[in-house]
């Protein structure tokens, strides 16, 4: 079975640009969460979606937004990129609103 | 708000020796607790989780963890370490009342020497 897939795996953006990261959850998983992991730190919660509704939002500015589609895949959008947005962005899915999350391999974003 | 502390930033252990990684949490209610492992450049792999019941939890790759409510701890152990266990380990607490949003510790890097 395919795990959580994220695309792209790496990308480089310039300050001020916007970026869209994509995530496909494990088949049948209805809950998707996004995390930001800055080098040397633990992941920080950004968003959680369940059944296409936002269920939780972490302490991130409004430049960060996300959505979940009818097939439960998800996008994370970041506008007006800053150097500090450089990080590994992880997507995780779960069968329901609780339980252990399965993480993807992440998207490495570098802002220059 | 909940928080997780992993007191050890880096641990070096000899292959075949035992390993214990410490995790302390702060949470106002009964927590959901997790241990994840991350190899360089990779995502997170779930080692084990505690939701309720037996406080000694068995996981994959020979790892186990013990939930001690009185000490607010969830330490991870492995009796005999293999070179492939070299990685970064993260402890996380999930909020039962917030759709189980995970809060992670800063991680412990494990180096295995031959």
């Amino acid at each position: 079975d395919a795990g959580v897939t994220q695309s792209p795996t790496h990308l480089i953006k310039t300050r001020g640009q916007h970026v869209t990261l994509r995530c496909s959850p494990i088949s049948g998983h209805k809950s998707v969460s996004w995390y930001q992991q800055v080098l040397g730190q633990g992941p920080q919660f950004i968003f959680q979606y369940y059944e296409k509704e936002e269920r939780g939002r972490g302490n991130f500015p409004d430049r960060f937004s996300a959505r979940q589609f009818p097939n439960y895949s998800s996008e994370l959008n970041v506008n007006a990129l800053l150097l500090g947005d450089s990080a590994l962005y992880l997507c995780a899915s779960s069968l329901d609103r609780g339980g252990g999350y399965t993480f993807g391999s992440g998207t490495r974003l570098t802002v220059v | 708000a909940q928080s997780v502390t992993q007191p050890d930033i880096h641990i070096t252990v000899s292959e075949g020796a035992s390993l214990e990684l410490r995790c302390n949490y702060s949470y106002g209610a009964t927590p959901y607790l997790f241990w994840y492992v991350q190899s360089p450049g990779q995502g997170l792999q779930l080692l084990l989780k505690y939701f309720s019941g037996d406080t000694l939890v068995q996981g994959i790759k020979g790892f186990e963890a013990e939930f001690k409510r009185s000490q607010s701890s969830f330490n991870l152990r492995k009796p005999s370490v293999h070179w492939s266990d070299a990685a970064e380990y993260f402890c996380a607490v999930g909020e039962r009342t917030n759709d189980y949003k995970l809060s992670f510790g800063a991680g412990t890097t494990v180096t295995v020497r031959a």
Side-chain angles (χ1 to χ4, degrees), chain B residues 31-65:
Chain B
Y32 286 171
L33 295 162
F34 306 83
W35 275 99
Y36 284 89
V37 61
Q38 185 177 38
S39 298
Q42 299 298 311
L44 301 172
Q45 181 182 22
L46 178 66
L47 287 176
L48 47 79
K49 60 187 178 185
Y50 171 78
F51 282 3
S52 64
D54 193 345
T55 56
L56 185 61
V57 181
Q58 300 298 320
I60 63 171
K61 303 185 178 186
F63 284 94
E64 66 177 26

Side-chain angles (χ1 to χ4, degrees), chain A residues 62 70 90:
Chain A
D62 291 342
L90 295 165

